[in-house]
Amino acid sequence: MNTTLDALLAEQACRDLVLAAADAVDGRDFLAFADLFEVRGVLVRPDGTELVGRPAIVSAYAARDPERLTRHLVSNLRVRLDLALGTALATCTVLLWSGRHSDAATQRGRPADPQQQVGEFRDLLVKTSEGWRIRRREAGFTLFRG
C-alpha cells in the first residue's frame, strides 16, 4: 500500500477516535468510552487524578451525576503520526457546555449552565490489534466563564 495513503488513513482513524471519545462521554456510554483506551490506558483528569485501565475509567464516569448533560465541541484537532512506531500524538481544543437532563427541552434545547470551559486533550494514540486506541489522555482546562 502507498505510504501516503497509509498515513492519511491512519490520521483519519486517529481523528475519528478522538471524536468518538467525545461522543461516548456526551452520550453517557462509558463502556464505549473506556473501550477506546488500551486495556491499561491512562486518563489524566484536569485535577491531576490518573485513571488507569478501562474499569477505572468506567467507574469514575459512571459515578458522575446522571442529571449532568454535556456537549464537548472539539476543534483544532491535529494529529502527528509516527507510522514506524505505530503511534500518534493528537491535540485538540475542547469547548465544554453543560446543563441538566431534567430541565425542560424546548425548540431551542435545554438551558445551559452559566459556566463554560475551554480545555485541551493531549492524546498518545497507539495502533493495536483492536485498531487505534488511546494509550494516555491528558485533559486540562485553560479558560472558564461563569
Side-chain angles (χ1 to χ4, degrees), residues 8-31:
L8 289 172
L9 291 172
E11 187 175 318
Q12 187 60 51
C14 291
R15 280 181 166 48
D16 290 347
L17 176 61
V18 172
L19 296 175
D23 285 344
V25 170
D26 290 343
R28 296 191 54 82
D29 190 347
F30 306 133
L31 286 172

Side-chain angles (χ1 to χ4, degrees), residues 3-131:
T3 56
T4 301
L5 180 56
D6 290 342
L8 289 172
L9 291 172
E11 187 175 318
Q12 187 60 51
C14 291
R15 280 181 166 48
D16 290 347
L17 176 61
V18 172
L19 296 175
D23 285 344
V25 170
D26 290 343
R28 296 191 54 82
D29 190 347
F30 306 133
L31 286 172
F33 177 59
D35 283 345
L36 298 174
F37 285 77
E38 281 189 306
V39 172
R40 298 281 304 150
V42 176
L43 171 59
V44 182
R45 303 193 74 178
D47 68 0
T49 302
E50 286 194 10
L51 305 174
V52 180
R54 291 175 177 171
I57 293 168
V58 171
S59 178
Y61 277 77
R64 293 170 47 162
D65 179 359
E67 278 297 310
R68 186 167 187 231
L69 169 66
T70 61
R71 288 298 176 264
H72 291 77
L73 307 176
V74 179
S75 68
N76 302 349
L77 178 52
R78 298 187 194 292
V79 176
R80 291 186 324 221
L81 292 170
D82 187 331
L83 287 178
L85 294 177
T87 62
L89 296 174
T91 59
C92 65
T93 301
V94 179
L95 175 60
L96 175 60
W97 283 73
S98 60
R100 312 254 332 136
H101 284 286
S102 59
D103 286 339
T106 69
Q107 289 180 337
R108 295 179 57 205
R110 289 179 171 83
D113 292 339
Q115 185 175 21
Q116 301 165 24
Q117 296 173 297
V118 176
E120 299 170 349
F121 293 151
R122 291 171 302 286
D123 296 327
L124 172 59
L125 311 176
V126 62
K127 179 82 184 257
T128 73
S129 60
E130 297 178 292

